[in-house]
């Protein structure tokens, strides 16, 4: 299980990973505890729709976001509610395609104010998005049918491997799997899970934070191996367009860690 950030999808290369660290150091200067924000600073936050924080996310991706009784719920949704509470506004959660988030389309076209979607901070994404400080640590996980004998990336040559489109799992396979690997990219995690469960794939690579649900729902599968990739999830706002909101997000995350609220939300979804 990934560890919450209180105790402490991968960059394309080691250099890109270092670039992300440098980016976070820069963004840290934009931070400031939400409890210390002045009323004037909060009024500087520009929202796409008056009176509500609009959150973009890609569902289903349990336990970060999924539908329950007709509503989107999950770890990321609850964090979004805390950001809205700090702004003293309502929250509206929209289900959008993950590539619309990572490309910057949803945020830069004012479809939403913030993206909270289990999204790994990378240098490539930072060119079109402004990231918050990281709020979650993750790794990549290899999920395979029981008895397959597949345990290493190097063993995937000639195998049918599924990933989710525009994720760091797709990047990891591209960077490290043999060239003969037959990779299929799915639009969402549900389609990937269905294909793996139906025997259409020999393996899937995805974030370890959701691989447990895959295995729990299909006893014929097993989590074969996890790979340390140094991934950290971040929330994102419009590129160079909403620094006051970014400050509020960073400040709120700091407050949630300090007062124990982050731990409570984490335990609810990850135990």
């Amino acid at each position: 299980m990934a560890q919450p950030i209180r105790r402490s999808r991968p960059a394309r290369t080691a250099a890109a990973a270092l670039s992300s660290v440098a980016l976070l150091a820069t963004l840290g200067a934009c931070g400031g505890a939400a409890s210390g924000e002045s009323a004037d600073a909060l009024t500087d936050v520009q929202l796409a729709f008056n009176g509500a924080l609009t959150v973009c996310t890609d569902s289903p991706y349990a336990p970060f976001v999924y539908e329950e009784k007709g509503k989107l719920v999950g770890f990321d949704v609850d964090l979004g509610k805390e950001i809205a509470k700090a702004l003293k506004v309502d929250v509206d959660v929209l289900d959008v395609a993950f590539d619309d988030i990572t490309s910057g389309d949803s945020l830069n076209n004012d479809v939403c104010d913030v993206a909270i979607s289990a999204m790994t901070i990378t240098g490539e994404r930072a060119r079109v998005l402004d990231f918050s400080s990281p709020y979650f640590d993750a790794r990549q996980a290899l999920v395979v049918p029981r008895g397959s004998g597949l345990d290493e990336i190097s063993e995937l040559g000639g195998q049918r491997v599924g990933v989710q489109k525009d994720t760091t799992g797709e990047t990891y396979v591209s960077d490290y799997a043999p060239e003969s690997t037959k990779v299929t990219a799915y639009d969402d995690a549900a389609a990937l899970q269905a294909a793996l469960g139906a025997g259409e794939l020999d393996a899937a690579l995805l974030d370890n934070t959701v691989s447990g649900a895959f295995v729990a729902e299909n006893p014929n599968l097993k989590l074969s191996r996890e790979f340390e990739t140094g991934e950290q999830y971040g929330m994102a706002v419009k590129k160079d367009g909403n620094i006051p909101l970014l400050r509020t997000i960073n400040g709120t995350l700091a407050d949630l860690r300090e007062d124990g609220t982050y731990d409570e939300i984490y335990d609810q979804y990850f135990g």
Side-chain angles (χ1 to χ4, degrees), residues 5-20:
I5 201 67
R6 69 178 187 268
R7 292 193 288 272
S8 56
R9 296 179 162 186
R12 188 171 298 274
T13 63
L18 291 174
S19 175
S20 294

Side-chain angles (χ1 to χ4, degrees), residues 143-159:
V143 177
V144 301
R146 292 186 180 278
S148 69
L150 297 173
D151 295 303
E152 300 288 346
I153 290 291
S154 59
E155 297 170 347
L156 297 181
Q159 304 295 319

Side-chain angles (χ1 to χ4, degrees), residues 212-237:
F214 274 44
V215 173
E217 294 173 13
N218 192 327
N220 294 322
L221 301 177
K222 72 170 186 176
L223 196 162
S224 182
R225 175 80 183 273
E226 291 188 2
F227 305 96
E228 294 287 352
T229 55
E231 297 183 57
Q232 293 184 305
Y233 296 164
M235 302 179 187
V237 303

Side-chain angles (χ1 to χ4, degrees), residues 61-63 139-143 204 206-217 221-223 225-226:
Y61 203 69
R139 298 184 290 275
Q140 286 300 306
L142 182 66
V143 177
L206 63 158
D207 289 7
N208 71 314
T209 49
V210 295
S211 59
F214 274 44
V215 173
E217 294 173 13
L221 301 177
K222 72 170 186 176
L223 196 162
R225 175 80 183 273
E226 291 188 2

Side-chain angles (χ1 to χ4, degrees), residues 57-114:
T57 192
D58 176 36
S59 179
Y61 203 69
F64 291 90
V65 59
Y66 55 97
E67 188 172 309
E68 186 174 88
K69 297 180 179 178
K71 294 184 178 181
L72 292 176
V73 299
F75 181 76
D76 281 351
V77 175
D78 282 3
L79 291 181
K81 290 178 179 178
E82 294 296 330
I83 305 298
K85 187 186 300 183
L87 291 167
K88 300 181 180 179
V89 297
D90 295 329
V91 64
D92 186 16
V93 183
L94 303 181
D95 184 5
V96 302
F98 193 66
D99 55 351
D100 285 343
I101 294 175
T102 57
S103 68
D105 286 350
S106 295
L107 289 165
N108 297 330
N109 290 317
D110 294 325
V111 174
C112 53
D113 304 301
V114 58

Side-chain angles (χ1 to χ4, degrees), residues 18-31 131-134 250:
L18 291 174
S19 175
S20 294
V21 172
L23 168 69
L24 291 175
T26 301
L27 289 177
C30 295
F131 278 102
S132 70
S133 55
N250 285 341

Side-chain angles (χ1 to χ4, degrees), residues 106-175:
S106 295
L107 289 165
N108 297 330
N109 290 317
D110 294 325
V111 174
C112 53
D113 304 301
V114 58
I116 313 177
S117 193
M119 179 168 51
T120 299
I121 300 166
T122 69
E124 181 178 356
R125 291 171 180 170
R127 286 197 287 269
V128 293
L129 302 169
D130 280 343
F131 278 102
S132 70
S133 55
Y135 70 91
F136 205 96
D137 294 341
R139 298 184 290 275
Q140 286 300 306
L142 182 66
V143 177
V144 301
R146 292 186 180 278
S148 69
L150 297 173
D151 295 303
E152 300 288 346
I153 290 291
S154 59
E155 297 170 347
L156 297 181
Q159 304 295 319
R160 302 166 300 169
V161 179
V163 296
Q164 186 177 348
K165 183 180 178 182
D166 293 323
T167 64
T168 46
E170 183 177 28
T171 301
Y172 196 79
V173 169
S174 175
D175 286 349

